[in-house]
């Protein structure tokens, strides 16, 4: 059954096509955007006059699987209300629930309600990859995928310490992507999670790991180079050193320098853009970081905006989560480790408007959004749930598009922050097109998803149709129509279908003989010999969802 559907007369906002937003018809058939033959009648015409039509949203950094979120759910039963109504509560109700870590069902439905059709888990431990894929496979509607964590794993550090040839490490990275069925690689506090286990409580970019002798600078460069040589489209996804520490802007700038021009994505940079100025020795370094991003076209970022209210922070960064545990609200936390791959820390937290630090964090995030010039290299995230739940995206979009609303919110914050920040004088209001870049076209491109994030013929018919009346927050909360691969999944906030999403992976070419060496190492050091996930297994643990490998970069680009 091949039905041609026409979305008639909407304002099509697709930043990948020249000419800007245009009122026109958009056609799709068999789950793909198409150009019909001249005069070909549509089987179904949907009137979209007075509506905005965009590709489905793509969240490139959202903790929706992978173990930590489950631990967070177990730690905080009092903040779960999924059973009552997974879709009702919003982060702005005084209600503490805020959907801080919604279950898999609510996650898929709530994203789809907002017009998002894909979300990517940024911190999958190799040893926990099966669980991560099961959890994402249990999340309806959304396409998904994950970045596998490397950089504090024993094998990498041991090999770097021993000075093995770079090619051996590159093949290990390729093997890890293959074995865990990842879309990319994330490094978290490079080397620091391991150093924590050797009683180091901080590890700056040029500080050596006390046991393995390697530095975060070496780890970042090695992994970034490996991904470049493996021609993986999404470059190294970096959660840098010293997350949350006053003055960490120096580490962040050093991390950019460590890349020596290699491409990389710096994640949740709001947490990495702090100075030490002012009476409280805690200040915004957003302008410095934005300048560095503007000057380095090989760097992309996502922001990790904080949103006031209750949430839970869940991170692989055991070192920093241990340091933050005293701030837990309510007062309980989890620290964990599996197979010496990396770590895990879960700390519940409440961001308060009247807290100087929290108010400044809010300001820094927005300053970053407004100061980085190229929207293709800034992705809209709250690092769900760390800065706040993804359900607050419509609110965040309004903050970026509407200066008077932004100033209204700013006036409610800690008075010292409100009076002195650079944000209060920033007049930029993001356009609908810039929002479309930061929430779909940009992240899709950064991940190498060639047929997502845009509406050109051949693209997947992942489409969100928004209202034009009301403020931006209202518009982006419950679009009248959301299609996933051409199937209507949400209508004005009501879920009408729950298809199974696809898994996006990357399959780099590497020397497979590395497998033997990895097994031998695991056996020699008392680990569990790793068992790669096969396509069949991935498919069954993701409920039969399609597996969609992204195309690797061309050789000349990757060289
Ligand atoms: Zn992180
Ligand atoms: Zn994160």
């Amino acid at each position: 059954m091949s039905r041609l559907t026409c979305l008639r007369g909407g304002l099509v906002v697709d930043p990948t096509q020249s000419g800007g937003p245009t009122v026109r018809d958009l056609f799709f058939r068999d789950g793909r955007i198409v150009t019909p033959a001249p005069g070909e009648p549509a089987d179904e015409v949907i009137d979209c006059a007075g509506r905005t039509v965009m590709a489905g949203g793509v969240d490139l950094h959202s903790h929706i699987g992978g173990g930590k979120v489950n631990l967070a759910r177990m730690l905080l039963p009092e903040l779960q209300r999924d059973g009552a109504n997974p879709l009702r509560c919003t982060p702005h109700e005084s209600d503490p629930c805020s959907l801080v870590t919604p279950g898999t069902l609510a996650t898929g439905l709530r994203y789809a309600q907002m017009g998002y059709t894909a979300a990517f888990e940024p911190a999958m431990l190799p040893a926990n990859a099966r669980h991560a894929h099961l959890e994402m496979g249990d999340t309806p509607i959304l396409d998904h995928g994950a970045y596998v964590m490397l950089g504090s794993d024993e094998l990498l550090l041991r090999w770097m310490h021993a000075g093995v040839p770079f090619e051996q490490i590159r093949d290990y990275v390729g093997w890890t992507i293959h074995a865990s069925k990842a879309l990319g690689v994330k490094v978290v506090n490079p080397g620091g999670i391991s150093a924590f286990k050797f009683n180091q409580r901080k590890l700056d970019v040029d500080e050596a790991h006390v046991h393995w002798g390697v530095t975060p600078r070496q780890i970042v460069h090695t992994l970034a180079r490996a991904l470049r040589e493996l021609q993986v489209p999404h470059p190294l996804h970096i959660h840098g050193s010293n997350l949350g520490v006053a003055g960490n802007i120096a580490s962040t700038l050093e991390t950019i320098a460590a890349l020596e021009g290699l491409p990389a994505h710096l994640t949740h940079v709001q947490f990495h853009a702090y100075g030490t100025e002012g009476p409280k020795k805690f200040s915004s370094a957003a302008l410095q970081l934005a300048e560095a991003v503007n000057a380095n076209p090989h760097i992309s970022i996502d922001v990790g905006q904080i949103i006031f209210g209750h949430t839970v922070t869940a991170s692989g960064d055991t070192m920093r989560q241990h340091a933050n545990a005293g701030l837990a609200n309510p007062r309980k936390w989890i620290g964990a480790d599996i197979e010496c791959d990396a770590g895990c820390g879960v700390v519940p937290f409440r961001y308060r408007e009247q807290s100087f630090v929290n108010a400044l964090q809010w300001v820094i995030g927005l300053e970053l959004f407004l100061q980085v010039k190229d929207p293709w290299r800034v992705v809209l995230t709250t690092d769900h749930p760390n800065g706040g739940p993804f359900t607050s995206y419509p609110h965040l979009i309004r903050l970026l598009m509407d200066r008077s609303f932004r100033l209204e919110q700013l006036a409610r914050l800690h008075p010292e922050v409100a009076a002195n920040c650079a944000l209060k004088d920033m007049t930029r209001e993001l356009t609908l097109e810039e929002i479309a870049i930061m929430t779909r076209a940009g992240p899709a491109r950064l991940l190498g998803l060639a047929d997502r994030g845009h509406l050109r013929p051949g693209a997947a018919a992942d489409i969100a149709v928004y209202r034009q009346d009301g403020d931006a927050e209202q518009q982006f909360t419950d679009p009248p129509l959301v299609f996933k691969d051409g199937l209507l999944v949400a209508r004005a906030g009501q879920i009408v279908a729950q298809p199974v999403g696809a898994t996006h992976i990357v399959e780099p070419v590497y020397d497979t003989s590395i497998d033997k060496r990895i097994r031998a190492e695991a056996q020699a050091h008392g680990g569990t010999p790793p068992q790669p996930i096969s396509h069949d297994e991935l498919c069954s643990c993701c409920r039969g969802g399609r597996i969609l490998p992204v195309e690797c970069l061309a050789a000349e680009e990757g060289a």
Side-chain angles (χ1 to χ4, degrees):
M1 189 185 70
S2 185
R3 286 169 57 83
L4 179 66
T5 301
C6 170
L7 301 181
R8 174 147 295 164
L11 178 72
V12 176
V13 180
D14 178 3
T16 72
Q17 301 190 59
S18 55
T22 320
V23 173
R24 64 177 175 92
D25 298 345
L26 185 74
F27 296 87
F28 60 86
R29 173 163 44 206
D30 299 329
R32 295 272 159 193
I33 309 285
V34 294
T35 308
E40 186 182 355
D43 298 289
E44 183 186 17
V45 176
I46 301 171
D47 182 19
C48 290
R51 310 264 196 234
T52 302
V53 180
M54 288 189 192
V58 176
D59 193 340
L60 117 175
H61 190 113
S62 174
H63 296 271
I64 55 168
K68 296 184 301 297
V69 215
N70 247 4
L71 289 175
R73 292 176 190 125
M74 288 191 284
L75 182 70
L76 296 162
E78 66 272 40
L79 297 187
Q80 298 298 322
R81 296 251 181 98
D82 287 5
N85 184 340
L87 301 177
R88 262 294 143 71
C89 43
T90 71
H92 314 303
E93 293 167 11
S94 50
D95 174 341
C97 126
S98 292
L99 275 177
V100 291
T101 43
T104 48
L105 176 65
T107 298
L109 303 189
R110 192 69 192 88
Y111 261 117
Q113 273 185 324
M114 301 191 315
Y116 271 75
T117 49
F120 294 87
E121 160 63 43
M124 170 171 76
L125 295 186
N128 209 36
R130 281 179 172 75
H131 173 96
H133 286 297
L134 277 164
E135 207 172 344
M136 291 187 289
D138 199 45
T139 303
I141 304 175
L142 295 184
D143 281 0
H144 43 81
Y147 323 135
V148 66
M149 271 167 70
L150 285 172
S152 275
D153 47 307
E154 291 273 323
L155 188 51
L156 178 86
L157 296 174
R158 193 185 310 133
W159 279 357
M160 285 185 69
H161 173 71
V164 303
F166 169 76
E167 292 68 28
Q168 186 173 323
I169 291 177
R170 180 197 63 201
D171 292 334
Y172 167 56
V173 173
W175 180 91
T176 306
I177 292 171
H178 158 77
S180 64
K181 294 290 174 280
L183 179 62
V185 171
K186 186 190 188 196
V187 64
V188 174
N189 188 350
I193 306 168
S194 168
F196 176 75
K197 297 172 209 170
F198 291 88
N199 276 327
Q200 281 176 286
R201 290 295 174 262
K202 63 180 254 308
L203 194 70
D204 213 338
V205 179
D206 287 310
E207 240 171 300
H209 185 299
V210 287
H211 183 72
W212 297 114
V214 297
T215 65
R217 181 184 299 274
Q218 295 165 327
I219 295 168
V220 162
H221 189 269
T222 303
L223 289 173
R225 183 179 162 205
L227 288 171
R228 192 66 173 151
E229 292 200 7
L230 292 165
Q231 297 166 4
V232 170
H234 188 50
L236 183 61
H237 198 93
I238 303 176
H239 155 146
S241 308
N242 286 325
L243 176 140
V245 176
N248 63 10
I249 182 64
S251 316
T252 307
L253 297 178
E254 280 306 322
T255 301
I256 294 175
L259 291 159
E260 297 175 359
L262 288 164
H265 179 85
L266 302 189
T267 188
H268 46 62
V269 287
Q270 177 279 127
F271 292 105
H272 300 271
Y274 304 150
T276 50
E277 285 162 27
K280 297 202 163 60
K281 301 272 180 259
F282 186 77
S283 57
S284 168
L287 303 192
Q288 266 170 283
L289 181 55
E291 250 171 55
V293 175
N294 289 335
N296 287 281
H298 56 288
I299 299 292
S300 58
I301 59 168
D302 67 83
V303 170
Q305 176 67 32
I306 72 142
I307 299 293
F308 296 108
H310 223 132
T311 193
V312 57
T313 65
S315 171
D317 195 342
T318 330
M319 179 186 267
R320 294 305 313 150
Q321 292 294 67
H322 172 263
N324 289 333
L327 303 172
N329 177 357
R331 294 188 65 79
K332 48 185 174 180
W333 76 291
I334 296 173
D337 183 87
I338 307 174
E339 282 285 320
C340 294
D341 260 353
C344 163
V346 180
V347 180
F349 193 76
R350 185 171 191 88
Y351 292 105
R352 293 180 304 111
E353 290 176 341
Q354 288 308 313
S355 147
F356 176 85
V357 169
N358 299 163
L360 198 57
Q361 288 178 303
W362 183 88
V363 160
I364 291 168
L366 295 178
E367 288 178 350
L368 285 163
F369 275 115
L370 298 172
Q371 289 296 302
V372 175
K373 290 187 184 133
D374 178 5
W376 287 96
R377 295 191 287 122
V378 188
V379 181
L380 185 140
T381 64
T382 56
D383 189 14
H384 165 82
N386 292 312
F390 68 82
T391 45
S392 54
Y393 286 177
H395 175 77
L396 175 54
I397 290 172
R398 186 176 180 200
L399 288 170
L400 296 170
M401 294 186 76
D402 179 345
R403 180 169 186 241
S404 60
F405 178 64
R406 191 158 73 220
L407 292 177
E408 236 169 70
Q409 301 299 306
L410 181 62
R412 296 158 52 143
L413 308 192
H414 191 287
E416 251 175 84
V417 173
N420 300 320
C421 63
L423 179 68
K424 70 179 190 323
D425 301 316
M426 291 182 189
T427 53
R428 184 173 173 196
E429 292 182 325
L430 297 189
T431 64
L432 213 45
E433 209 171 6
E434 286 171 323
I435 293 295
I437 296 171
M438 291 180 179
T439 56
R440 47 265 283 161
R445 184 177 283 184
L446 291 169
L447 293 173
L449 311 178
D451 62 351
R452 314 278 146 161
H454 66 86
L455 297 170
R456 301 193 306 277
D462 291 355
I463 307 167
V465 178
Y466 296 100
R467 291 153 47 198
Q468 291 175 345
D469 55 319
D471 60 49
E473 181 167 350
Q474 291 164 338
Q475 290 170 16
F476 282 91
T477 296
D478 47 10
L481 300 169
V482 181
F483 298 89
K484 178 77 187 73
D485 295 307
L487 176 70
L488 182 66
V489 290
R491 185 188 285 128
Q494 295 299 311
I495 297 293
V496 295
Q498 296 184 30
V500 175
T503 308
H504 294 273
I505 62 169
V506 64
E507 299 184 309
V509 176
Y510 63 96
D511 181 351
T512 52
S513 69
I514 195 76
D515 184 74
K516 236 187 256 150
R517 207 173 275 196
I518 292 168
R519 278 167 202 287
E521 289 274 354
Q523 236 129 27
H525 295 276
T528 307
Q531 182 64 41
I533 300 172
S534 68
H535 272 213
D536 284 352
E537 188 183 354
L538 180 64
C539 183
S540 69
C541 77
C542 290
R543 299 188 170 220
R546 290 177 302 156
I547 299 171
L548 303 176
V550 300
E551 224 169 283
C552 283
L553 300 173
E556 59 271 28
E557 275 182 78

